[in-house]
């Protein structure tokens, strides 16, 4: 025999009314409808794979060795970053970068 636990669940009135209507239409109980929905959500979330960033490599040879661990200031042309991103409670974040046409270097090696 399976064990059961009683618990209190707070359901918004509108959702409860919809669920009761569906249970009545399907000739089942609200309890069974809730159990079915919970089983579906648990199954779906336990089967989902964690997010993995897609590899967007373009055939290069990776980061130039001299730039490994370097700051953005070293990677970008002099003066390209005039204001670094700043965040603090109640203040806007700001990031200013020189026009793209002036960005002529790449921190990545490209296969010839």
């Amino acid at each position: 025999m399976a064990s059961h636990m009683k618990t209190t669940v707070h359901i918004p009135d509108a959702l409860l009314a919809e669920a009761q209507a569906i249970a009545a239409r399907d000739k089942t109980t609200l309890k069974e409808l809730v159990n079915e929905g919970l089983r579906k959500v648990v199954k779906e979330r336990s089967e989902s794979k964690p997010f993995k960033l897609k590899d967007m490599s373009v055939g290069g040879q990776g980061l130039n060795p001299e730039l490994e661990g370097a700051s953005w200031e070293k990677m970008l042309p002099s003066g390209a970053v005039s204001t670094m991103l700043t965040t603090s409670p109640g203040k806007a974040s700001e990031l200013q970068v020189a026009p793209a046409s002036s960005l002529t270097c790449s921190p990545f090696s490209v296969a010839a």
Side-chain angles (χ1 to χ4, degrees), residues 29-104:
T29 64
L30 181 61
K31 176 182 168 182
E32 283 305 313
L33 189 67
V34 169
N35 285 334
E36 179 183 349
L38 188 55
R39 277 189 208 95
K40 285 182 179 181
V41 169
V42 168
K43 181 180 179 192
E44 175 186 303
R45 291 190 183 179
S46 63
E47 291 176 351
S48 67
K49 297 177 184 173
F51 174 78
K52 185 177 179 184
L53 187 61
K54 185 177 180 180
D55 184 357
M56 298 300 289
S57 299
V58 292
Q61 298 172 341
L63 189 64
N64 285 332
E66 66 269 12
L67 295 176
E68 189 172 336
S71 66
W72 282 109
E73 288 84 6
K74 183 174 179 184
M75 289 186 197
L76 296 174
S78 178
V81 179
S82 59
T83 305
M84 295 305 292
L85 181 64
T86 57
T87 57
S88 58
K91 290 192 174 183
S93 298
E94 183 179 352
L95 179 64
Q96 296 174 351
V97 179
S101 61
S102 69
L103 300 177
T104 56

Side-chain angles (χ1 to χ4, degrees), residues 10-22 30 33:
H10 297 276
I11 303 172
D13 293 339
L15 180 58
L16 178 60
E18 275 187 85
Q20 288 172 327
I22 291 170
L30 181 61
L33 189 67

